[in-house]
Amino acid sequence: MPEPRPDYRFARRPWWILSHLFAAGMVVLMVNLGFWQLRRLDERRTHNALIESRQDLPPAPLGELLPAGPASSPEEVAEVAYRMVVLRGRYALDEQVLVRNRTSEGLPGYWVVTPLVLDDGTAVAVNRGWVPFASTDPEGPWPQYDPPAASVTVTGMVQEPQVRAGGLVGGPVDAPEGRLWTLSRVDVGRLAQQVAQPMWPLYVNLASQEPAQGELPQPVPPPDLSEGPHLGYAGQWFVFAGLTVIVYPLLLRRVARHRGREAVEA
């Protein structure tokens, strides 16, 4: 007995039309997500190239990079982000803070941020590195992490200050007034409220220091210059889109054959 002809009349019913539209919409969505991940990959590569080009330049005094000093604009700071700089001055121990919820190799802890008072009387927030969560009381001061009291020379990487993203629901908020021992992020503007000296609108991730500090804090590693998972995610979305294009027609054909056999039997 020959195989009955497939019956596709079911595919014109309203529910199935919605199913076709849904499948087509999912294919369009997945293809767009794939191209979005490729755009993210291009952005990541461009950003990595920018970081590499800047951090490979020789360290320079901060005043040469930002002649306006503490009055520098956010745009001017962005132009020198990731540049290596050399700072000379004395740490203001009484104004040291911890930045909460920072990890190192999966372990929870803090960043130790200490204002460095330069020879001209201005101050730069220096992220001296990470300390483990269990090793310190969040209410300072913390004499076990005190840097040298004498003048120091710090080499580090310029970073733009961290601010709370607008509209972030449920994100941590620091008290707007009073002396804070810990901060949610390296918010230089908030730190400046409790520092006596004029502060530069940036912070510096310490890379090395003379005289050197102890084993703790551990300096924060340089930025991750990997390409991330974007290429893999793009490939997954394209594969999902291709499978939908192949599998959905096969599903329709299977249902049509089943309907055709039912019609012959009837």
Side-chain angles (χ1 to χ4, degrees):
M1 181 176 180
E3 179 72 18
R5 295 184 60 184
D7 183 359
Y8 285 98
R9 288 177 295 177
F10 74 94
R12 297 193 294 269
R13 294 175 181 174
W15 189 92
W16 280 99
I17 291 176
L18 291 176
S19 176
H20 307 333
L21 294 175
F22 176 77
M26 291 302 297
V27 170
V28 172
L29 175 63
M30 289 185 285
V31 169
N32 281 319
L33 287 172
F35 282 116
W36 173 66
Q37 287 291 343
L38 291 179
R39 290 193 295 271
R40 291 288 306 277
L41 176 61
D42 287 339
E43 293 171 358
R44 182 71 175 263
R45 288 172 173 170
T46 301
H47 187 62
N48 287 349
L50 173 67
I51 294 175
E52 287 182 330
S53 66
R54 292 183 179 178
Q55 70 180 8
D56 288 343
L57 295 173
L62 188 56
E64 291 184 6
L65 301 181
L66 294 172
S72 301
S73 67
E75 293 75 19
E76 290 172 326
V77 173
E79 288 294 324
V80 299
Y82 306 109
R83 282 292 306 268
M84 299 298 293
V85 294
V86 178
L87 309 171
R88 293 180 179 85
R90 294 175 181 269
Y91 285 113
L93 302 184
D94 295 339
E95 296 164 344
Q96 184 168 266
V97 297
L98 298 183
V99 178
R100 302 185 295 271
N101 300 324
R102 304 295 150 166
T103 60
S104 176
E105 298 180 354
L107 298 177
Y110 303 93
W111 281 353
V112 181
V113 177
T114 312
L116 182 70
V117 181
L118 308 182
D119 295 336
D120 62 1
T122 62
V124 179
V126 176
N127 177 12
R128 297 173 48 227
W130 176 88
V131 294
F133 178 79
S135 67
T136 188
D137 185 336
E139 293 298 320
W142 308 275
Q144 67 271 39
Y145 303 129
D146 281 355
S151 179
V152 297
T153 299
V154 171
T155 302
M157 180 178 289
V158 173
Q159 300 288 324
E160 297 178 78
Q162 299 175 347
V163 296
R164 186 171 184 264
L168 181 63
V169 178
V173 180
D174 293 320
E177 298 178 354
R179 171 56 161 104
L180 300 181
W181 291 104
T182 66
L183 297 175
S184 301
R185 57 192 64 82
V186 191
D187 186 345
V188 178
R190 180 61 184 88
L191 178 60
Q193 295 180 27
Q194 57 193 48
V195 174
Q197 297 79 12
M199 293 204 66
W200 292 65
L202 53 88
Y203 72 98
V204 172
N205 278 341
L206 182 147
S208 63
Q209 177 182 290
E210 290 295 336
Q213 59 186 16
E215 294 183 1
L216 292 175
Q218 299 175 3
V220 175
D224 177 18
L225 297 182
S226 68
E227 294 186 349
H230 303 298
L231 183 60
Y233 287 163
Q236 290 178 8
W237 285 120
F238 290 138
V239 168
F240 293 155
L243 288 175
T244 303
V245 170
I246 295 172
V247 172
Y248 189 73
L250 293 177
L251 172 65
L252 295 178
R253 181 174 177 81
R254 181 176 180 180
V255 175
R257 284 180 172 177
H258 180 69
R259 296 294 178 91
R261 285 193 294 268
E262 286 182 341
V264 170
E265 293 172 358

